[in-house]
Amino acid sequence: MKKIFGLAAAGLFITSVANAGSLTVANSDIELSGGVSAGYFYTSNLCDEPCENPKNDYFTVSSFAIGLTSKVNSTIGFTASFGASPQSDLLGLETTKDFGPEFAYVSIRPIEGLTLDAGLLTTNIGYELYHTWENPNYTFGMVWWGQPVTYPGARATFNVAENLDVYAEYSQDGVDSFAVGAIGSYEGVDFAFSYFDYSAQKNLIDVVLSTSVAGIDVALNADYQWLDDSAKVDGQDDSAFGVGLYIIPKLSENVSLPVRIEYIDEGTSDIYGVAGDNAWAFTITPTWAPASNAYLRAEFAYVATDEKGFYEGATEADAEDTRTFIGVEAGFRF
């Protein structure tokens, strides 16, 4: 089961696009969905290490994907997505990705309430989803940067109550991993609690809460991570935490103003890979949805670290401790 808390609290655009539905392929039981988004972006101090002649502004296709879903019968079905979604984030800012399978898995329901998924899975960890059009902000956050995204494996999900699912999974994302968690809702609050164990590497506890307060969608994503004994380094910290707060007021029927505020503290553990011991970031994304399945949004993001780790040139003297991101993106989902 994918994050049922999903982006139910992710703002006007996400709500309107999600209601756009999907297309049914003729003479088959396959449903077709997907989308495309593109824009123009500028990033200061673009490099993460000294670099020659960085290109700070660029046009890009930020996501293009085609999804296929089939429920062959009440027992078996599949979900797949093919595309190229770079997932540009505040720390790494990846801007290219080859077209290919993004995720794909077969679902089997052997008994009532039990679902078995196997293949290339999408994680249940975190608030932000795979494609840029599924999120309230264009860039992916610092907390997202430290979380798993997709991996080959198998997951068993059991529906224990009307609004509560529990799951367990085994995966191989470079190392053997396993996870357990619970996903559901209670008294108007969607929640997800997860524990993810990277064998002989690190462990991650993830909490996501989302709700609506006075017409404003609010969500919290908090992670605590710690290293296994085999991965610890003498004299360095062995744990870290990250917190992301999402606030999405709706200014009108077609306009929303998503805000994301994040803080990461990793000490000397290097678990998140930020420069120095800690970092904070602010992102604001005014969004206009002229149609139920289309949007236009601008974005301003600012990230600061307590040591210099962003570069604008080819020497250590060109290092800075801040990065500013400005962009405009348009998207369509079908």
Side-chain angles (χ1 to χ4, degrees):
M1 175 176 178
K2 295 183 183 178
K3 312 169 191 177
I4 62 171
F5 57 89
L7 289 179
L12 171 65
F13 157 64
I14 304 304
T15 301
S16 61
V17 169
N19 291 333
S22 57
L23 303 175
T24 300
V25 179
N27 301 317
S28 77
D29 61 353
I30 296 175
E31 291 187 349
L32 174 70
S33 61
V36 60
S37 58
Y40 173 77
F41 308 99
Y42 168 85
T43 306
S44 69
N45 306 321
L46 179 66
C47 303
D48 295 320
E49 58 186 20
C51 57
E52 297 279 355
N53 303 317
K55 181 64 174 175
N56 295 88
D57 64 319
Y58 50 93
F59 291 92
T60 186
V61 176
S62 47
S63 276
F64 172 68
I66 297 172
L68 301 174
T69 302
S70 176
K71 184 178 179 181
V72 177
N73 53 44
S74 61
T75 302
I76 190 168
F78 74 87
T79 299
S81 178
F82 303 88
S85 301
Q87 297 171 323
S88 295
D89 68 275
L90 298 177
L91 294 177
L93 286 170
E94 182 180 359
T95 56
T96 60
K97 182 170 286 188
D98 293 336
F99 187 92
E102 297 178 330
F103 51 86
Y105 51 89
V106 175
S107 298
I108 300 174
R109 291 165 285 277
I111 61 174
E112 182 71 23
L114 176 64
T115 301
L116 304 176
D117 298 319
L120 183 59
L121 306 176
T122 55
T123 186
N124 280 339
I125 303 289
Y127 181 70
E128 298 179 29
L129 300 181
Y130 192 91
H131 301 110
T132 181
W133 63 68
E134 297 175 303
N135 296 314
N137 309 106
Y138 161 71
T139 51
F140 288 75
M142 297 191 301
V143 174
W144 175 91
W145 175 254
Q147 298 171 340
V149 182
T150 61
Y151 36 77
R155 176 186 297 142
T157 304
F158 188 68
N159 178 233
V160 298
E162 182 179 359
N163 295 313
L164 178 62
D165 286 2
V166 296
Y167 73 91
E169 66 182 37
Y170 168 76
S171 60
Q172 297 176 332
D173 188 15
V175 296
D176 291 346
S177 305
F178 72 89
V180 294
I183 303 174
S185 62
Y186 180 76
E187 296 293 331
V189 177
D190 295 326
F191 62 83
F193 304 101
S194 303
Y195 168 72
F196 198 99
D197 187 311
Y198 299 85
S199 177
Q201 191 177 91
K202 69 175 183 177
N203 310 274
L204 164 64
I205 292 177
D206 175 74
V207 177
V208 178
L209 303 172
S210 62
T211 190
S212 182
V213 179
I216 299 175
D217 296 327
V218 180
L220 177 73
N221 186 188
D223 286 344
Y224 177 71
Q225 306 194 38
W226 67 98
L227 299 175
D228 288 327
D229 289 342
S230 59
K232 293 179 181 178
V233 178
D234 290 342
Q236 294 187 10
D237 295 321
D238 59 8
S239 63
F241 72 87
V243 179
L245 176 65
Y246 302 79
I247 305 171
I248 307 106
K250 300 174 184 177
L251 305 184
S252 71
E253 183 180 354
N254 297 321
V255 178
S256 62
L257 191 65
V259 172
R260 179 180 61 203
I261 303 169
E262 297 180 281
Y263 178 75
I264 285 175
D265 191 323
E266 66 173 7
T268 56
S269 69
D270 199 36
I271 288 176
Y272 284 95
V274 302
D277 293 345
N278 56 70
W280 70 273
F282 173 82
T283 306
I284 185 169
T285 313
T287 300
W288 173 51
S292 62
N293 60 341
Y295 69 95
L296 175 66
R297 61 186 177 189
E299 182 156 297
F300 170 84
Y302 179 86
V303 57
T305 60
D306 70 339
E307 289 185 11
K308 295 180 179 181
F310 304 122
Y311 293 85
E312 193 67 27
T315 69
E316 292 291 335
D318 297 314
E320 299 290 345
D321 59 3
T322 63
R323 170 181 281 164
T324 301
F325 178 93
I326 302 171
V328 177
E329 183 196 40
F332 176 85
R333 181 173 175 175
F334 54 87

